Amino acid sequence: MTRKLIVLMCFLLSVVGIAQTYKTIDTADYLQRKDFLRNFTAGNEALIKGLKSQYSGRTGSEMSKIYKEFGTDFENQVRNKDFVFKSEFDAVIKSLVQRLRKNNPKVPQDLKILIARDNTPNAYCLADGTFVINMGLYNWMDNEAQVAGVISHELGHKIEDHTLKSVLNIVEQNKLDKSTVQSIKETTDRRSQGRNEKAFDILKNRIYKKSVEKRNLEIHADSLGYVIFKNSDFKKNEFINGLQKLQTFDTVSPRELKIETYKKLYDLPKQAFKDKWMKKEDFSLYNYNFYKEKLNKDSLASHPEMVKRLEKLKKTFPELNTPVEAEKPSEAYLMLKKTARMEILPNFFHSEDYGLGIYTAMQFLQDGEEEKYYKGWLGKCFTKIYEARKNYNLNRYLDRVEPKNQSESYQQFLNFMWNLSLDEIKNISEYYQSVETVAKTK
C-alpha cells in the first residue's frame, strides 16, 4: 500500500472543524521564491566547488554531478510551488528550532525553513541547511513537542553530515555497481542464466549493504536527535511519543468507505446511481506466485522498523522506558492542525493525485465534514479525471487495482472509478462544479 494511501487514515483519527469560509493558503509568493532560489543556487554552487577541492579526481566529479542534479531538481520543485513560503507554519517551526538550539551549540544557525505541500508526516534537511517540513506532520502529531522531535532527528543527520557520507559511499561503489549492471545486461539470454544469476547476486548484496548502512544512520540520528531534544526545554518522553505516532502511520489501514456513501454522492438529479458501477474486477484466477520476488523487501528498507528504533532508544536511554501521556496541544498548534487538515485536498490537487483526492473527499463527506467545501473539491478532481480520461492518460492520475497492495475499500473505489464512462464522469464533474459555484455565491 502506498504511503499516500496510508495518509488517508490520519484524517479519521479526529474531526477538527473549521469555518466553511476557509480559504486555501495563498501561493502568490513570487518574490519569496525568487529570493530563496537565488540563495539556494549560490549555496549549492559553493557546496559543489568545495567538494571538487576536497575530493580530487573521479570522486569529486561524481559527487559534484550528484549535487548539481539534485539542486536542479529541487529548484524545479520550488518553481512548481511544492513549498509554501507565506504561511502561519513558518514562524512556529522557526520558534521550535530556536528552542532546540538551547544548550545545543552544534545546531546550525543558518537553517532555512520550507513548508512542503505534502500530506505525509515527514521532514528532511538538505546539505545547505534547508529544512523541509511536510504539512502532514501537523495532521499526525499530537503537539508541538512531537514535531520538534522529528526536527531534532533531522538535526542529528545534519550535524553528522549523514547525507554527504551516504553520497560519498555511493560514489565509491559506483564503479563496481556499473560494472555489475553491465554484466547483467550482457548475460540475459538463457544460455548464460547461471552467469546472470551470479551477477544479480553481487548487485543484490551491494544493495542490501547500502540499506543496512542507511538503517544504521537512522538509528544514529535517533540517538543524536534525542540528546538535542532532551537538552532543550521539551518534555523528554514526547520524543518517543512522536516516534510511536509514526509507528502507527506505518502500520494502520484505511477505514472502509461504505457503499451507501457512493449511492448518496452519485445518485444525481440528471444521472441516477447504477449498481454496475460497483462491479469488481475478478482476480481470483490470477496466480500471484508466478512471479517470485528476487529482493527481500525488509532488507531493502532504508528506515528500520520503528519497533527496533524504539527498542534501541529505550535501551540506550533508560528514562524513556516509563510511558508518559502526550501533552495537550496549545491553541496555536490546534489552529495549525486545522489548517493542515483543510489543506489535505488542495495538496492532493497540487500534486495531481486526483484519484486520491476524490477518495479523501468521499471519506470527509461520509463523516459529514464541511460539505460545501469538500463537494467543491470533489468537482475539481472529477473535472481533472474527465480531462485525463478524454485524453487517454487516466493512468497518470488514478491507480490500477492491485489486490496484494490495497485495502478492500480502496480496491472498490478504483473499480468504481474505472467503471464510469466518459459521459458519466462529465455529469458528476458538472454537478459538483455547480455545487461549488452555488457555495461561492452564498
Side-chain angles (χ1 to χ4, degrees):
M1 185 178 300
T2 64
R3 291 180 72 81
K4 284 184 178 179
L5 182 55
I6 297 174
V7 167
L8 298 178
M9 185 57 189
C10 77
F11 310 155
L12 311 175
L13 297 183
S14 61
V15 176
V16 284
I18 198 167
Q20 290 192 6
T21 55
Y22 177 79
K23 294 182 179 180
T24 57
I25 292 176
D26 183 12
T27 57
D29 47 20
Y30 173 76
L31 293 178
Q32 288 86 349
R33 282 187 290 119
K34 182 180 179 181
D35 185 56
F36 175 85
L37 283 169
R38 182 176 64 253
N39 292 328
F40 177 81
T41 302
N44 203 50
E45 288 175 353
L47 174 64
I48 291 170
K49 185 177 180 180
L51 290 172
K52 286 182 177 179
S53 62
Q54 186 177 357
Y55 302 97
S56 60
R58 188 176 183 85
T59 298
S61 297
E62 287 294 324
M63 292 184 72
S64 299
K65 181 181 178 182
I66 290 173
Y67 276 102
K68 186 174 182 179
E69 290 176 352
F70 169 79
T72 300
D73 181 64
F74 191 75
E75 289 168 11
N76 288 335
Q77 290 180 49
V78 174
R79 293 189 183 94
N80 191 46
K81 297 187 178 183
D82 290 356
F83 307 100
V84 177
F85 286 86
K86 295 190 301 182
S87 78
E88 53 267 48
F89 291 95
D90 295 345
V92 175
I93 295 296
K94 288 175 182 176
S95 69
L96 293 180
V97 173
Q98 190 59 41
R99 289 172 68 181
L100 288 170
R101 286 198 179 100
K102 186 176 181 179
N103 302 320
N104 291 301
K106 289 187 177 181
V107 174
Q109 294 292 322
D110 59 344
L111 297 176
K112 297 173 284 293
I113 308 297
L114 279 183
I115 307 300
R117 300 190 66 89
D118 192 318
N119 293 323
T120 54
N122 200 8
Y124 55 93
C125 187
L126 309 184
D128 73 326
T130 299
F131 246 95
V132 177
I133 311 294
N134 286 358
M135 223 178 275
L137 271 179
Y138 281 83
N139 281 316
W140 204 260
M141 297 300 172
D142 291 324
N143 52 48
E144 298 96 326
Q146 292 177 10
V147 174
V150 175
I151 295 174
S152 65
H153 169 92
E154 295 305 322
L155 282 170
H157 281 306
K158 170 61 180 171
I159 291 169
E160 291 297 310
D161 280 331
H162 284 167
T163 301
L164 181 63
K165 292 174 182 177
S166 295
V167 171
L168 179 59
N169 182 55
I170 290 171
V171 170
E172 288 175 342
Q173 295 189 20
N174 194 42
K175 241 183 172 182
L176 291 172
D177 288 348
K178 282 184 177 179
S179 174
T180 303
V181 171
Q182 186 61 33
S183 176
I184 291 174
K185 288 180 178 178
E186 293 173 355
T187 57
T188 54
D189 59 87
R190 291 185 179 181
R191 290 176 296 176
S192 57
Q193 185 175 359
R195 289 174 59 201
N196 187 32
E197 288 296 328
K198 184 177 180 179
F200 183 83
D201 286 341
I202 294 171
L203 178 60
K204 179 177 68 176
N205 290 333
R206 288 208 184 104
I207 293 172
Y208 287 168
K209 181 182 177 182
K210 291 177 183 178
S211 296
V212 169
E213 290 168 352
K214 289 180 181 179
R215 290 198 296 271
N216 288 337
L217 291 180
E218 289 303 316
I219 289 175
H220 190 200
D222 280 341
S223 296
L224 290 171
Y226 175 66
V227 171
I228 293 170
F229 190 81
K230 75 171 185 176
N231 285 346
S232 59
D233 57 2
F234 296 100
K235 289 188 176 179
K236 293 180 287 190
N237 278 77
E238 288 298 347
F239 185 87
I240 210 162
N241 286 344
L243 289 181
Q244 287 170 339
K245 296 293 289 186
L246 293 178
Q247 180 186 4
T248 304
F249 172 78
D250 284 338
T251 57
V252 81
S253 296
R255 195 191 61 180
E256 178 187 7
L257 195 57
K258 300 175 182 177
I259 301 300
E260 290 75 13
T261 301
Y262 290 88
K263 294 180 178 180
K264 180 180 179 181
L265 292 174
Y266 303 116
D267 188 17
L268 308 180
K270 295 182 179 180
Q271 181 171 278
F273 182 85
K274 300 176 183 178
D275 290 332
K276 68 177 184 179
W277 291 342
M278 306 307 291
K279 184 179 179 181
K280 294 182 181 180
E281 192 172 350
D282 185 10
F283 289 90
S284 61
L285 299 178
Y286 189 86
N287 182 6
Y288 289 106
N289 294 320
F290 184 78
Y291 298 100
K292 294 184 178 180
E293 294 184 50
K294 287 184 174 290
L295 296 176
N296 184 296
K297 290 182 179 179
D298 291 334
S299 297
L300 287 173
S302 61
H303 282 54
E305 292 181 8
M306 194 59 70
V307 173
K308 294 179 181 178
R309 290 172 63 180
L310 291 168
E311 287 175 352
K312 180 66 175 177
L313 273 172
K314 290 178 180 179
K315 184 177 180 180
T316 307
F317 305 100
E319 68 268 24
L320 294 176
N321 284 287
T322 303
V324 177
E325 286 190 13
E327 288 182 301
K328 288 186 177 181
S330 66
E331 288 298 318
Y333 183 82
L334 287 176
M335 287 303 297
L336 287 178
K337 194 175 181 72
K338 290 177 182 179
T339 298
R341 187 176 180 85
M342 298 300 283
E343 289 293 324
I344 288 170
L345 264 296
N347 288 347
F348 276 141
F349 193 83
H350 173 76
S351 60
E352 299 185 340
D353 291 307
Y354 306 126
L356 282 176
I358 292 171
Y359 188 69
T360 306
M362 290 176 66
Q363 289 278 10
F364 280 133
L365 290 167
Q366 180 172 272
D367 291 340
E369 288 193 52
E370 303 295 338
E371 286 205 5
K372 290 181 181 178
Y373 182 75
Y374 290 116
K375 283 182 177 179
W377 281 106
L378 201 62
K380 290 178 182 178
C381 289
F382 262 106
T383 298
K384 291 295 185 179
I385 291 293
Y386 170 71
E387 292 173 359
R389 184 69 173 268
K390 187 170 61 173
N391 294 324
Y392 302 100
N393 61 352
L394 187 54
N395 278 314
R396 288 181 56 186
Y397 312 107
L398 184 67
D399 293 334
R400 283 289 187 180
V401 180
E402 298 178 10
K404 288 186 69 177
N405 301 315
Q406 298 162 341
S407 68
E408 287 288 334
S409 178
Y410 191 58
Q411 290 178 55
Q412 176 64 82
F413 166 74
L414 293 176
N415 277 290
F416 164 76
M417 292 295 295
W418 285 104
N419 286 338
L420 293 170
S421 69
L422 182 64
D423 286 340
E424 289 165 345
I425 293 172
K426 182 181 180 181
N427 291 336
I428 294 172
S429 166
E430 290 178 348
Y431 175 79
Y432 280 108
Q433 284 285 69
S434 67
V435 168
E436 182 191 22
T437 303
V438 171
K440 285 182 177 179
T441 58
K442 286 187 177 180

